[in-house]
Amino acid sequence: MSFELDNTDRNEMFSNFLHKIIDKDMEEGVYDGRVQTRFPPEPNGYLHIGSAYAINISYSIAQKYGGKFNLRFDDTNPAKEDMEYVESITRDMKWMGFDWEDRLFYGSDYFDRIYEYAVSLIKKEKAYVCELTLDEIREYRGTLTSPGKDSPYRNRSIEKNLELFEKMRSGEFEAGTKVLRAKIDMSSPNMNMRDPVMYRIQFVSHYRTGDKWCIYPMYDFAHPLQDYIEGITHSLCSNEFKNHRPLYEWFLNELEIKSPPKQREFGRMNITGAVTSKRYLRQLVKGEFVDGWDDPRLPTLSGLRRRGFTPESILNFLNEIGVSKDSSTVDIAMLEHSLREDLKGKVPCLMAVLRPIKLVLTNYPKGQVEMMEIQNNPESPELGSRKVPFTGELYIEEEDFMEIPAKGYHRLSPGNEVRLKGAYIIKCEEVVKNEKTGEILEIRCTYDPETRSGLIGSARKVKGTIHWVSSMHALNAEVHLYERLLPKDAEGEVEDWSEYINPNSLVVLKNCFIEPELKASKPGERFQFIRLGHFCVDEKYTTDKKLVFNRIVPLKDTWKKNNK
RNA sequence: UGGCCUGUCGCCAAGUGGUAAGGCACGGGACUUUGACUCCCGCAUUCGUAGGUUCAAAUCCUGCCAGGCCAGCCA
């Protein structure tokens, strides 16, 4: 009988400052008890673990309060957006289980309405067409410590503004010559309130609306309206938008929206050793420093998926790290912990030899093959067992033999005994080496027939147990091991990413041997290789003729840790 | 040097005036045909800092220090 909490319970118990805000709204009946959140990605890149963190905040809150969750593509800048990204984003969200039901929206669907709202602000004398150049606007804006000054176009008549704005829309002006601005306060200590631009002219074809528009609303103007149009109650975003909140509220207030949505901010999440900036990710992909957006070294959701992470492990990770107002840098060890936790007791544990050395049993009958029955996962008997062929010629892991054993080493060494997992106790009698190079060619051992697993003699204890594979039965496989992609953090503008890439971030081992049992394994299948880690069959490079495994995470290795 | 925000163990993070939860990491031990897993045990007399209010402060007040964000016709 287990009383452990499942995720639902954990979510129920988990509380943060956002829950308190919503609890209060519920209590006061601000939105008639309604909760609706949204995730508004711009389709200009792939989702990564930081995006999943943001999605999870909005998604789990909608779930907790029996509310709704929308997916909305915030596509108000045609120069940067593309359909490829909306497809990848929806695919990754579905994989994670973030369900927007029938509420998939596009900010571009609201262009007509947003235009009308702009017109009504002009009519209220709260917006004007400005003809200052880009540089002039910057100059007039002032600095962080000094106020700006009013644009000479600030006090045009409503009629003139209406006329000019209409002409902007119909394409009579060149890009950059005119913008629509909100009339707020050029001396506000908040730069966002110094007559922010609401609309700019862009003769760029939009991936959805084509050439219908040549003016596009800015984020600050479009976002509160998108939220309002969709009935969003709580518009949750990360801290860098904190300074935009007064503007968000200003637009909704001037437009006299009742029960306006609330923008609330949370701290961003970073992970040690992972690149979670969209900008850097794009540079790495476009510059072909990595194998696409789904490179297993990247913290993109597609990269994590290809690497072998489960959506459950990512979700548990996100729920365990929590949310606060402060930004965080979470240790990647927590993510790895979540994966091990999820897979343990769930996937078969098999044997693989990554760096093989030949081992010969000199007293084992020539040509004999025994089928050793081994449990697939001792913690989960329901996963059954398999028969593994055992012969007198095996491969073992290079690091499981030491000619001169270090103190505390209890695997194979000359004269020493060790158990072959699921088979016999063996003793190392001789080491055959290449006379010139000193390279170990094979290890010769004798086995004790009385100690076969299951026999009475198997009760004898030896200090070490190692994994093995029969050389004539083993399958050849390629294994990819990963380390940090960037050993040092990049700063500012990076000219050449190759200077930052860790050459060991991807280690390809082409000559690995695995149990014949794995012959039928399919891309995406996961296994634990005993003592080596959790692995996933790569979905991109595995073919009928070639098996490629990605190591998701290594297993803990206290011996290696203590001897490093 | 303007405004806003944030500072609780190495890393996340509860706590919201009544005497510091939990997880990861780490250290020690038991168990083990995975040096894994599991199981025990340990791990903040102290909450950025200095004062103040109070019978009582991580929680309230004041000053200081540190970090973050903002001067795109990006989102």
Side-chain angles (χ1 to χ4, degrees):
Chain A
M1 194 62 179
S2 165
F3 293 98
E4 275 179 32
L5 302 176
D6 65 21
N7 286 327
T8 326
D9 294 329
R10 208 157 11 207
N11 266 331
E12 289 301 313
M13 293 177 60
F14 180 67
S15 93
N16 61 43
F17 71 101
L18 294 170
H19 297 319
K20 274 166 208 119
I21 290 166
I22 295 169
D23 287 340
K24 185 158 178 281
D25 287 340
M26 297 293 265
E27 221 169 273
E28 296 171 355
V30 181
Y31 302 105
D32 302 319
R34 211 168 53 79
V35 169
Q36 192 154 1
T37 60
R38 102 270 95 112
F39 176 60
E42 181 183 24
N44 67 347
Y46 279 53
L47 258 25
H48 54 79
I49 185 124
S51 325
Y53 172 80
I55 298 167
N56 188 240
I57 290 168
S58 286
Y59 186 74
S60 63
I61 280 179
Q63 281 206 310
K64 170 171 175 159
Y65 292 91
K68 292 175 177 171
F69 168 81
N70 295 8
L71 170 59
R72 175 173 73 231
F73 288 101
D74 198 352
D75 50 2
T76 57
N77 184 355
K80 298 168 78 177
E81 296 146 7
D82 196 273
M83 209 57 200
E84 175 200 353
Y85 299 121
V86 344
E87 280 158 11
S88 77
I89 289 169
T90 52
R91 175 171 16 95
D92 290 343
M93 284 185 66
K94 280 181 189 161
W95 177 67
M96 285 294 295
F98 295 124
D99 185 7
W100 58 84
E101 298 176 318
D102 58 348
R103 292 176 302 281
L104 169 59
F105 302 113
Y106 294 84
S108 51
D109 286 344
Y110 314 137
F111 281 168
D112 287 293
R113 290 183 67 176
I114 290 172
Y115 180 86
E116 290 309 319
Y117 282 118
V119 168
S120 67
L121 282 180
I122 292 173
K123 288 177 177 165
K124 284 186 71 180
E125 295 191 279
K126 294 295 183 182
Y128 63 98
V129 172
C130 180
E131 297 179 39
L132 254 24
T133 64
L134 196 77
D135 288 337
E136 287 167 338
I137 286 185
R138 185 179 304 128
E139 192 189 320
Y140 275 65
R141 185 155 37 221
T143 70
L144 295 174
T145 51
S146 61
K149 54 183 180 182
D150 289 357
S151 161
Y153 305 99
R154 201 171 198 257
N155 293 310
R156 286 214 244 239
S157 69
I158 293 172
E159 292 67 31
K160 187 68 180 170
N161 279 319
L162 252 15
E163 179 198 328
L164 288 171
F165 188 47
E166 173 55 37
K167 284 182 176 170
M168 278 171 65
R169 178 191 194 171
S170 56
E172 292 186 32
F173 305 124
E174 278 176 45
T177 58
K178 289 178 179 55
V179 291
L180 183 72
R181 292 229 254 170
K183 192 189 287 189
I184 309 181
D185 178 6
M186 288 308 290
S187 62
S188 170
N190 183 342
M191 300 297 281
N192 295 305
M193 301 300 272
R194 321 243 261 228
D195 289 13
V197 172
M198 295 164 61
Y199 265 94
R200 78 287 214 182
I201 301 170
Q202 266 187 122
F203 287 95
V204 175
S205 191
H206 188 280
Y207 77 104
R208 295 191 80 244
T209 61
D211 296 320
K212 178 179 176 189
W213 295 88
C214 62
I215 57 171
Y216 293 92
M218 299 288 289
Y219 166 87
D220 280 314
F221 181 52
H223 208 87
L225 295 173
Q226 294 167 351
D227 285 340
Y228 165 66
I229 289 167
E230 291 179 13
I232 301 303
T233 57
H234 301 270
S235 184
L236 310 177
C237 60
S238 51
N239 273 158
E240 68 260 40
F241 293 99
K242 186 103 190 168
N243 296 335
H244 295 248
R245 188 151 117 195
L247 184 51
Y248 182 98
E249 290 170 348
W250 187 89
F251 282 125
L252 293 174
N253 183 51
E254 291 301 335
L255 262 3
E256 292 163 48
I257 272 105
K258 55 271 164 245
S259 296
K262 282 185 167 71
Q263 173 184 309
R264 289 295 114 98
E265 310 80 13
F266 52 80
R268 282 185 85 93
M269 182 210 54
N270 301 292
I271 296 190
T272 58
V275 190
T276 43
S277 142
K278 239 188 196 179
R279 186 165 129 255
Y280 285 167
L281 286 171
R282 193 177 301 109
Q283 287 176 20
L284 288 165
V285 173
K286 297 298 178 200
E288 299 185 353
F289 295 106
V290 294
D291 184 30
W293 288 98
D294 65 348
D295 187 294
R297 291 169 294 180
L298 296 180
T300 51
L301 293 181
S302 51
L304 293 169
R305 175 174 57 230
R306 179 137 89 93
R307 172 94 164 245
F309 278 88
T310 58
E312 293 80 7
S313 68
I314 297 172
L315 236 27
N316 279 337
F317 165 76
L318 296 174
N319 288 329
E320 263 158 26
I321 62 176
V323 193
S324 70
K325 293 184 184 178
D326 198 11
S327 67
S328 60
T329 304
V330 180
D331 195 327
I332 188 103
M334 282 211 212
L335 212 209
E336 298 179 342
H337 165 81
S338 286
L339 190 273
R340 291 192 199 100
E341 191 67 20
D342 184 32
L343 257 34
K344 129 184 114 197
K346 221 158 134 178
V347 297
C349 304
L350 301 105
M351 295 190 286
V353 174
L354 266 34
R355 294 177 171 91
I357 317 190
K358 187 183 282 184
L359 184 149
V360 176
L361 298 176
T362 53
N363 62 338
Y364 194 79
K366 270 248 170 336
Q368 177 172 304
V369 178
E370 287 181 90
M371 299 306 287
M372 301 301 190
E373 180 152 9
I374 301 180
Q375 280 201 296
N376 286 330
N377 189 319
E379 285 179 49
S380 306
E382 67 275 16
L383 290 182
S385 62
R386 67 191 184 286
K387 291 197 163 62
V388 186
F390 182 86
T391 62
E393 190 178 302
L394 311 164
Y395 289 121
I396 64 162
E397 202 71 54
E398 197 178 77
E399 63 175 30
D400 286 347
F401 175 78
M402 268 185 117
E403 193 170 9
I404 302 158
K407 61 286 156 216
Y409 187 76
H410 50 240
R411 275 112 88 180
L412 200 60
S413 57
N416 199 25
E417 279 191 324
V418 89
R419 170 171 292 282
L420 293 175
K421 165 92 182 161
Y424 297 97
I425 291 176
I426 60 168
K427 182 175 186 180
C428 175
E429 308 285 0
E430 187 185 353
V431 183
V432 182
K433 295 201 269 192
N434 177 315
E435 288 186 11
K436 285 184 181 143
T437 64
E439 179 198 1
I440 296 174
L441 300 176
E442 66 177 52
I443 298 164
R444 295 196 175 168
C445 300
T446 51
Y447 84 115
D448 179 350
E450 304 297 310
T451 59
R452 176 174 166 157
S453 283
L455 299 183
I456 298 167
S458 73
R460 187 149 74 85
K461 301 289 182 198
V462 287
K463 274 188 285 181
T465 300
I466 65 173
H467 55 274
W468 52 272
V469 106
S470 162
S471 66
M472 66 176 284
H473 298 274
L475 262 38
N476 197 270
E478 183 173 311
V479 169
H480 295 182
L481 307 179
Y482 305 99
E483 284 179 28
R484 287 183 62 160
L485 181 62
L486 307 178
K488 53 178 176 177
D489 291 335
E491 278 173 31
E493 290 300 325
V494 175
E495 293 290 323
D496 183 6
W497 282 96
S498 58
E499 288 176 20
Y500 284 86
I501 306 273
N502 173 7
N504 295 320
S505 60
L506 168 60
V507 175
V508 176
L509 301 174
K510 289 182 183 287
N511 195 35
C512 305
F513 293 103
I514 59 178
E515 283 186 36
E517 177 81 8
L518 286 160
K519 187 167 192 130
S521 53
K522 306 261 185 316
E525 265 193 278
R526 300 179 185 86
F527 304 94
Q528 184 195 111
F529 288 160
I530 288 170
R531 304 208 313 117
L532 298 174
H534 291 288
F535 292 74
C536 180
V537 182
D538 187 88
E539 54 191 37
K540 196 158 172 180
Y541 295 132
T542 296
T543 64
D544 293 342
K545 295 215 167 78
K546 185 179 172 191
L547 260 175
V548 178
F549 289 87
N550 295 316
R551 181 160 73 182
I552 316 170
V553 294
L555 251 30
K556 290 184 185 174
D557 187 338
T558 54
W559 192 82
K560 189 179 277 181
K561 193 176 67 191
N562 294 333
N563 287 275
K564 175 61 197 77

